[in-house]
Amino acid sequence: AFGSVGFQANHADVTKGYAGFTFAVSNTVATIPGICAGPVTAAIVASYGSWLPVFVLAASVNVVCMCLYLALAKTDRIL
């Protein structure tokens, strides 16, 4: 939730006339985790017998990605 606020506006800020294209590419790439989430979740729950590791993994990925975005995101035009 914390990381989803800035990235949507960042496409328009960074690429101006190509915001639609860059947003489409990033959305396409972002679909991959959604496809993999079901089987990975099933494997983790079957392996550990609990949902706790799934929630810990999800929270960890969210925090790491938020920190990466905050550290690396720029608003300088590149295109």
Side-chain angles (χ1 to χ4, degrees):
F2 291 117
S4 65
V5 175
F7 82 92
Q8 294 173 345
N10 209 22
H11 288 281
D13 290 341
V14 173
T15 60
K16 197 172 181 171
Y18 300 99
F21 175 74
T22 59
F23 194 76
V25 170
S26 67
N27 259 353
T28 302
V29 172
T31 302
I32 296 169
I35 294 169
C36 299
V40 169
T41 301
I44 291 172
V45 170
S47 179
Y48 289 94
S50 170
W51 280 88
L52 182 63
V54 174
F55 293 124
V56 170
L57 177 63
S60 301
V61 168
N62 239 350
V63 169
V64 167
C65 290
M66 179 190 66
C67 291
L68 285 171
Y69 178 80
L70 290 174
L72 302 174
K74 297 179 183 178
T75 58
D76 302 329
R77 287 192 199 270
I78 57 173
L79 293 177

